[in-house]
Amino acid sequence: GYEYSRTGNPTRGAFERAMVKAEQGANYCVAFSSGSAATSAVMHLLKHGDHCLSVDDVYGGTQRYFRRILTPNAGIQVDFVDMSDAEKLEFKDNTKLVWLESPTNPTLKITDIRAIAKKCKEHRCLLAVDNTFCSPYFQSPLNLGADLAVHSVTKYIGGHSDVVMGVVCCKEVALYDKLRFIQNGVGAVPSPFDCFLAHRGLKTLHLRMEAAARNAMAIALFLQDHPAVRSVVYPGLKSHPQHELAKEQQYGYGAMVSFSCIGGRAEASILLKNVS
């Protein structure tokens, strides 16, 4: 039963169970009030003196949290490294977590999740994958060996720009129990109504991701041939340096496209001012 709505409530429970079905390989899901709160909950699994390896091209909010809050206040060291070659990762005796995004935000670098997971198992440390840019529909980190799959529900899962939320999904009950304790103890929980909205959005995730990916490919191809564009970065393009890896570990290429204009700041400003 339920006794206190921060600890648990029927609407949040329904959404968390639905996320378990959506995130392949998951047995458990814990919901939080934002993607950043979900990230913070994962880092609460560590303690003072522990070490974390993070992909260098990490989301700005995550990088800011690691550098300016986690390390100075909690004494957890974070090194930002290139993870394009798992064999070159330098683990320390106190390395307890590897934090990965694939694709990264915003340069869309793809990392071999299976290869990184293998190294993490060898060094007995956790692997957390921020799966926001692919969503559960286009990638399953837990099936590739990750211990934790993290999402900003605010983006694709919510899908309607009317909810701010995050989730952490996992396989192991021991991790779930720790995350549930953190969820309740810290209290960064979503409201029941936010969970209702997120659950509503999840029901159309497959339709929206398919349509968004088609649109992204069309835009990427258009930009690729545009005379004012220097380069386009989209995993679905053969020109993407990790295109083959994306084909192997993802079910689709997502909906994010990065590109650079010929010229400098002035030309980029003209473009942004004319985007409606």
Side-chain angles (χ1 to χ4, degrees):
Y2 299 97
E3 58 177 286
Y4 197 69
S5 57
R6 169 168 47 80
T7 305
N9 59 76
T11 314
R12 192 172 82 206
F15 173 66
E16 289 172 336
R17 290 190 297 273
M19 276 300 307
V20 169
K21 299 295 185 182
E23 184 65 73
Q24 293 184 40
N27 294 319
Y28 308 98
C29 172
V30 185
F32 296 91
S33 56
S34 69
S36 294
T39 300
S40 175
V42 171
M43 303 314 291
H44 271 84
L45 296 171
L46 307 184
K47 65 181 186 301
H48 183 277
D50 284 346
H51 173 250
C52 168
L53 287 171
S54 170
V55 66
D56 51 1
D57 184 29
V58 73
Y59 164 58
T62 301
Q63 182 250 106
R64 180 175 60 245
Y65 164 61
F66 286 174
R67 290 185 190 275
R68 301 180 63 180
I69 299 175
L70 186 71
T71 295
N73 294 334
I76 295 170
Q77 180 188 357
V78 182
D79 286 329
F80 299 88
V81 299
D82 178 7
M83 295 195 183
S84 58
D85 187 348
E87 295 301 321
K88 292 183 179 179
L89 288 183
E90 296 183 4
F91 290 82
K92 301 180 180 180
D93 291 340
N94 62 336
T95 303
K96 302 300 181 183
L97 176 72
V98 171
W99 182 271
L100 181 62
E101 288 178 16
S102 185
T104 58
N105 178 357
T107 62
L108 305 177
K109 287 164 60 175
I110 309 291
T111 301
D112 190 335
I113 297 173
R114 187 177 280 108
I116 300 293
K118 181 181 178 182
K119 300 302 291 186
C120 287
K121 296 294 188 293
E122 291 174 4
H123 292 272
R124 298 184 179 182
C125 73
L126 296 173
L127 172 60
V129 177
D130 185 335
N131 199 31
T132 299
F133 263 25
C134 270
S135 86
Y137 187 70
F138 278 147
Q139 185 167 259
S140 304
L142 300 177
N143 282 346
L144 295 171
D147 300 288
L148 301 158
V150 183
H151 293 275
S152 173
V153 175
T154 312
K155 314 303 191 301
Y156 293 132
I157 294 172
H160 294 75
S161 299
D162 56 6
V163 63
V164 176
M165 263 182 74
V167 295
V168 182
C169 299
C170 62
K171 287 185 176 181
E172 302 299 328
V173 67
L175 278 175
Y176 170 69
D177 288 342
K178 291 177 181 178
L179 288 166
R180 279 281 290 153
F181 189 84
I182 292 166
Q183 178 195 48
N184 184 52
V186 176
V189 295
S191 72
F193 188 65
D194 282 348
C195 292
F196 162 76
L197 291 174
H199 199 171
R200 168 219 55 185
L202 183 61
K203 294 173 183 178
T204 59
L205 179 66
H206 60 300
L207 299 173
R208 292 184 286 102
M209 291 306 296
E210 288 284 359
R214 287 195 302 270
N215 291 340
M217 178 61 87
I219 292 169
L221 291 171
F222 169 81
L223 292 171
Q224 185 175 241
D225 296 329
H226 199 284
V229 173
R230 177 182 291 110
S231 62
V232 182
V233 182
Y234 180 63
L237 295 178
K238 291 182 180 179
S239 59
H240 191 286
Q242 292 98 34
H243 173 70
E244 292 301 320
L245 177 59
K247 283 174 61 177
E248 179 183 338
Q249 75 179 16
Q250 298 173 199
Y251 314 126
Y253 300 117
M256 301 303 297
V257 179
S258 294
F259 68 98
S260 61
C261 301
I262 293 174
R265 185 186 296 267
E267 287 75 12
S269 296
I270 292 170
L271 169 69
L272 292 174
K273 289 176 181 177
N274 284 278
V275 172
S276 58

